[in-house]
Amino acid sequence: MVQEEDLELYRSQLLDSMSERPSRSVRGPSDPIQVYVNERRVGELKGAEIEATLHVHGVDHVETVQLRTEDGQLLGGLVAPESGFRTTRVQLSADTVELCVQNTVQGGSLSAVFIPAPSFWNRAWTILANVADRWMVRRPESTMAYGVRAVVFTQALLAVAVVGLAADRVMIWIAPEHTVTSTVRTEALRTASVAEIGQLSKQLGELRAMQTKVGEALQSQEKGMTLLHQTMARLSSTQESVASSVVMVKEEMEKRQEGSESEIDRSVQIPVGRGGVDQEQFETAIHGLAADNDRLSKQIAGLEEHNRTVTAKLQMAIAHVAKAVEQSPERVVAREIDMARKHQRSPVADNRQGTQAQPFLFWVTFSEGTTQESIDQWVNEMKGHKGAINEGWQEVQILPPPVPPDLFLEQIKGEKIIKEARLNH
Amino acid sequence: MQNTLRTSHIIADRTSTVSRLEEVVSTSDEFDQVVAQALPLLLDRAAGYTKRFLRETGQWNDDIEHEKFALRWGAEYLERFLVCGRTEVPCRPLFLFDSLVAKQHSKPEPFCYHPDLLKPLGRFLDGLVARAVVSRDALIALYHHSYGWGAGDVIAVTGLNGLESQRIYKNFRRWRESGWQRTIDEMGLTKTELAELENQRQRHRQRFNTEAERLIRVAQGHYRKSEPDHYPCLSRSQWGEMFSQGYGCDYRIWHLALCLDCMQAAWGLGSSESSVEKPRLELQVRP
Ligand SMILES: [Zn+2]
Ligand SMILES: [Zn+2]
């Protein structure tokens, strides 16, 4: 009987914990979110203030997706369809995680995007993306699916930087097309011509392609970021500075983001943090922003200038990193040795030029009746000196001619005053 | 008489709950509402299916341990159903639930079954390692329960950097505050059973740890399958490379917690502990 009571106690304990489940959220504001596919852990989303993405590819078939806190609480998830795709949004207080699973005959994939409680730049970006979406079919999976059997965590530093780059890019693209450049104005976007928006969407497409490329570069590594880290670690100090420049760019982006956010918070009262701000609300906010245009435009102009430098730096950094990834460390070392050799070689080359700078000697005979005077004049014109005379041959010293000796002698022979010319007596 | 009346009342109640669960619900909110009222029924249903599965696979015995085991997994399925089911609307919740449980049971090894894992020590270890799969707090706590280490030891042994270290302290704190108790509740370990485990640990330390090591290997082997599939066991030199290059942080944390052999293989590769003897299982019951 004790046993039966024990069992009944256990059952009611389980039921209690089940019904109090939703109120037991223990996720701190910056705690990561663990992602599981088919009850197997595939990675985590850094649940901080920045948007983070986790892509999982090469699963035979996605059956379930689950999100959990560090303490194991199930936050949300979905059951994948047999084939095709399904999306769902999991609301975690003010933050959101968007899940998109897809099952095809080739296999399954998941994309999980952590969207923090909206900040200004996120909202601006959402509006831009929405406008662009009207002109192009947006299907993240089709542009991001590389179809390789590997698990890729694009959440890495680079990817974060690229997302930042996306926002930067859009700012820069819009600028040249409007005279009142430096503002994110929804009105401007709404009234923008079809051609302009078409161009914007094309550029967004290019950006996606670029993102894909970066993704592919990472993917080409067997262990993705792991290997990149490894490579980074092995590389010389030059490469280390690349890494630090990526970090620096990221920091600058964050700084800039913070700066602009606080500025806007002061000027326009944007309702933040009340569990999801809807489209209408932040459109209103952006209207207010347009009204405060003059004051802001100055600041944003500055920011944009900054964007450009940051973007340039980032592109350089990405290029460097891509190079670093391509090169095995041994090759980097080999290249450095090569460089060193070149440095050593250049003095050698100088020496050779030195030998060439020594006088060029050749022998000539003159046509009959040529006066000594015209001979001297000829030698003078060549900035040369007369040397020895031997059996009617006159030795001449000149500075090395710009053409090869043979050709030079042929040219000499063509002159009226010269009868014969040769290198040696 | 009274009893019969009550029973028939319960049966009538159940019948109406079941028919509600068989109807189509069209929104997530409606799903939550309908399901919240049917938790006891759904738990018993899932436990019943699990019992049947165990019976059919020759893993059943008529005792409280097996009943608890069936209940525990029933609760696990129910939790997943509560969270995932609401994205499946419109649906008939009861059918969805049945299919979800059936899917679980159609997997090659739906759970870690071993008769010895049903006894208190086994239940403790199985519950602990199972929890480590879904909870990082529990995973980190596994280092403490297996070897008696604190946060600092874990950081040193796995060779973590500053940022990751902060997280380890958090993991430890949450585990002590609530994680351990919840896990114990989920295992269905009573206070008496816990006290008895503690008693054995103190009085027959060696026998206790030898038995614990045997059982934890069974559990680790099963639950390691839930790690990312690119986290296999490595040789000492491979671990060494990972430690010295400073990559695979996640790999180290997850695999070493769940693999006694690799823990011994990678021993001394982190910082400073190289002089000490290889770690041996020193099972801790309390957090
Ligand atoms: Zn993807
Ligand atoms: Zn191992």
Side-chain angles (χ1 to χ4, degrees):
Chain A
M1 285 313 100
V2 175
Q3 288 206 331
E4 251 167 52
E5 270 169 36
D6 183 14
L7 193 65
E8 186 47 45
L9 189 71
Y10 182 40
R11 180 175 170 276
S12 54
Q13 224 169 30
L14 289 173
L15 283 170
D16 284 352
S17 78
M18 205 95 60
S19 36
E20 71 188 34
R21 196 187 52 84
S23 61
R24 275 210 302 194
S25 179
V26 211
R27 195 177 90 84
S30 63
D31 288 345
I33 298 159
Q34 310 282 335
V35 182
Y36 291 77
V37 169
N38 302 346
E39 273 129 46
R40 188 191 279 266
R41 203 182 62 96
V42 293
E44 59 190 32
L45 286 167
K46 297 257 178 295
E49 281 113 47
I50 39 168
E51 198 169 303
T53 308
L54 176 72
H55 279 292
V56 181
H57 301 269
V59 181
D60 282 339
H61 188 86
V62 177
E63 272 152 29
T64 58
V65 178
Q66 289 164 358
L67 303 175
R68 289 181 184 270
T69 55
E70 297 257 290
D71 77 335
Q73 196 212 325
L74 199 50
L75 293 168
L78 61 77
V79 179
E82 273 307 303
S83 81
F85 70 96
R86 168 172 292 165
T87 57
T88 193
R89 271 167 168 269
V90 178
Q91 202 68 41
L92 317 168
S93 60
D95 307 328
T96 311
V97 175
E98 276 187 0
L99 296 175
C100 175
V101 290
Q102 188 170 25
N103 275 321
T104 66
V105 277
Q106 283 92 31
S109 65
L110 159 73
S111 121
V113 183
F114 175 83
I115 303 157
S119 66
F120 168 71
W121 289 100
N122 283 322
R123 286 190 296 271
W125 171 239
T126 310
I127 286 176
L128 295 174
N130 283 346
V131 172
D133 272 359
R134 287 177 210 151
W135 299 95
M136 62 189 272
V137 185
R138 185 163 171 254
R139 184 72 56 74
E141 270 318 301
S142 62
T143 47
M144 296 303 285
Y146 322 116
V148 181
R149 292 182 60 86
V151 181
V152 178
F153 303 95
T154 36
Q155 188 188 332
L157 183 62
L158 267 180
V160 170
V162 171
V163 170
L165 174 65
D168 279 343
R169 273 287 180 94
V170 171
M171 299 300 291
I172 292 162
W173 288 332
I174 292 167
E177 318 216 359
H178 296 272
T179 35
V180 198
T181 60
S182 30
T183 33
V184 194
R185 281 175 38 181
T186 35
E187 289 94 326
L189 278 165
R190 288 226 185 78
T191 56
S193 72
V194 173
E196 282 170 314
I197 291 178
Q199 201 186 341
L200 178 63
S201 70
K202 201 179 122 221
Q203 284 163 328
L204 278 171
E206 283 165 9
L207 177 78
R208 290 230 167 82
M210 198 182 75
Q211 256 177 302
T212 309
K213 260 188 212 156
V214 173
E216 277 165 357
L218 292 177
Q219 199 171 36
S220 69
Q221 299 301 314
E222 220 175 68
K223 285 178 189 167
M225 285 317 286
T226 296
L227 216 77
L228 181 61
H229 280 300
Q230 195 181 352
T231 316
M232 287 284 211
R234 280 197 197 143
L235 293 177
S236 63
S237 56
T238 354
Q239 267 72 25
E240 270 170 37
S241 73
V242 172
S244 66
S245 79
V246 172
V247 172
M248 203 181 64
V249 168
K250 202 181 137 235
E251 278 169 3
E252 278 179 15
M253 279 174 166
E254 280 164 7
K255 234 188 284 160
R256 188 210 55 215
Q257 204 167 320
E258 277 163 26
S260 52
E261 251 170 306
S262 57
E263 182 65 31
I264 283 141
D265 283 348
R266 253 180 286 136
S267 59
V268 193
Q269 242 69 136
I270 299 178
V272 184
R274 280 194 294 109
V277 178
D278 66 15
Q279 182 95 3
E280 217 174 279
Q281 273 177 305
F282 65 77
E283 269 180 21
T284 316
I286 298 218
H287 277 269
L289 191 133
D292 211 9
N293 191 6
D294 280 350
R295 208 173 54 76
L296 268 172
S297 64
K298 211 171 163 192
Q299 192 211 349
I300 296 182
L303 285 174
E304 219 173 64
E305 186 52 41
H306 194 61
N307 274 346
R308 262 175 265 233
T309 13
V310 168
T311 307
K313 278 188 207 166
L314 178 67
Q315 278 170 334
M316 245 168 62
I318 287 173
H320 280 293
V321 171
K323 260 187 244 157
V325 169
E326 277 163 27
Q327 284 167 342
S328 74
E330 289 77 14
R331 265 165 65 199
V332 172
V333 172
R335 227 164 123 250
E336 277 167 3
I337 293 172
D338 254 21
M339 295 274 277
R341 280 209 195 113
K342 260 183 207 150
H343 279 290
Q344 281 172 350
R345 202 183 291 139
S346 45
V348 174
D350 284 347
N351 282 347
R352 217 186 322 160
Q353 275 203 328
T355 36
Q356 275 174 359
Q358 281 168 5
F360 175 69
L361 298 175
F362 63 100
W363 296 81
V364 286
T365 54
F366 297 97
S367 309
E368 252 146 275
T370 306
T371 59
Q372 195 58 42
E373 207 186 344
S374 51
I375 289 172
D376 289 346
Q377 201 191 330
W378 179 78
V379 173
N380 276 342
E381 276 168 12
M382 300 226 320
K383 297 197 172 87
H385 299 280
K386 287 189 287 185
I389 295 176
N390 198 335
E391 294 168 16
W393 289 86
Q394 170 73 56
E395 187 192 33
V396 183
Q397 295 179 5
I398 58 163
L399 285 171
V403 294
D406 290 352
L407 186 62
F408 174 74
L409 291 180
E410 285 309 309
Q411 282 172 1
I412 297 259
K413 284 177 199 166
E415 287 183 38
K416 207 172 68 188
I417 179 175
I418 305 294
K419 191 176 163 194
E420 270 302 332
R422 61 189 188 199
L423 282 179
N424 303 305
H425 172 56
Chain B
M1 195 52 194
Q2 273 277 325
N3 227 333
T4 330
L5 249 172
R6 207 178 126 235
T7 312
S8 66
H9 183 69
I10 288 173
I11 289 170
D13 244 17
R14 288 221 154 188
T15 318
S16 74
T17 313
V18 166
S19 56
R20 259 217 87 188
L21 285 170
E22 282 172 342
E23 284 161 26
V24 176
V25 299
S26 38
T27 65
S28 296
D29 287 344
E30 200 186 332
F31 178 91
D32 291 345
Q33 200 192 332
V34 169
V35 165
Q37 287 164 0
L39 290 179
L41 182 143
L42 290 169
L43 177 61
D44 293 343
R45 198 177 174 92
Y49 282 132
T50 307
K51 209 162 152 175
R52 199 169 77 192
F53 175 86
L54 290 169
R55 227 179 237 132
E56 283 167 2
T57 51
Q59 299 175 317
W60 182 257
N61 222 336
D62 265 325
D63 55 29
I64 189 173
E65 282 85 17
H66 282 78
E67 295 281 359
K68 277 194 174 181
F69 188 81
L71 264 178
R72 182 183 141 205
W73 284 99
E76 192 71 41
Y77 300 151
L78 182 52
E79 191 194 17
R80 292 174 198 169
F81 170 73
L82 291 182
V83 169
C84 295
R86 64 196 311 277
T87 67
E88 291 277 299
V89 289
C91 68
R92 295 173 192 274
L94 196 67
F95 300 143
L96 182 68
F97 184 66
D98 287 354
S99 76
L100 192 136
V101 176
K103 247 186 201 166
Q104 293 287 339
H105 287 158
S106 67
K107 287 181 182 174
E109 270 181 90
F111 26 65
C112 188
Y113 179 86
H114 189 290
D116 291 346
L117 290 182
L118 297 177
K119 295 176 183 132
L121 178 60
R123 202 142 29 102
F124 177 72
L125 290 167
D126 178 41
L128 203 60
V129 183
R131 190 70 193 166
V133 165
V134 295
S135 157
R136 203 186 125 111
D137 293 347
L139 181 89
I140 301 302
L142 210 48
Y143 286 104
H144 162 76
H145 287 287
S146 303
Y147 309 105
W149 295 336
D153 301 312
V154 175
I155 291 159
V157 169
T158 52
L160 296 184
N161 60 35
L163 209 71
E164 280 287 334
S165 306
Q166 282 312 305
R167 219 170 138 189
I168 300 286
Y169 284 103
K170 266 193 189 176
N171 292 132
F172 262 89
R173 185 169 44 74
R174 269 192 305 251
W175 180 252
R176 274 195 307 265
E177 283 170 6
S178 60
W180 179 80
Q181 188 57 56
R182 185 185 312 170
T183 307
I184 294 293
D185 291 347
E186 270 177 12
M187 300 168 189
L189 273 182
T190 61
K191 285 197 170 69
T192 327
E193 284 170 327
L194 269 178
E196 178 54 26
L197 281 182
E198 191 61 42
N199 190 24
Q200 279 175 34
R201 186 181 80 88
Q202 280 162 5
R203 287 172 52 193
H204 312 283
R205 196 165 155 175
Q206 201 172 351
R207 201 203 306 158
F208 180 76
N209 282 317
T210 311
E211 178 67 356
E213 183 172 335
R214 184 177 73 85
L215 293 176
I216 206 170
R217 280 179 190 279
V218 177
Q220 284 185 340
H222 177 87
Y223 292 107
R224 224 168 27 241
K225 288 176 201 138
S226 59
E227 276 186 48
D229 53 3
H230 49 280
Y231 284 5
C233 289
L234 298 177
S235 68
R236 181 170 171 86
S237 67
Q238 285 170 314
W239 283 117
E241 198 183 316
M242 198 185 274
F243 273 86
S244 64
Q245 311 275 352
Y247 64 90
C249 220
D250 217 38
Y251 196 150
R252 280 178 263 162
I253 292 174
W254 280 81
H255 192 89
L256 295 179
L258 291 169
C259 187
L260 220 60
D261 291 332
C262 281
M263 185 69 246
Q264 296 196 334
W267 183 245
L269 294 171
S271 50
S272 74
E273 79 276 18
S274 50
S275 57
V276 191
E277 252 182 277
K278 279 191 180 183
R280 306 234 15 178
L281 196 80
E282 280 284 342
L283 192 67
Q284 312 291 314
V285 179
R286 306 262 162 202

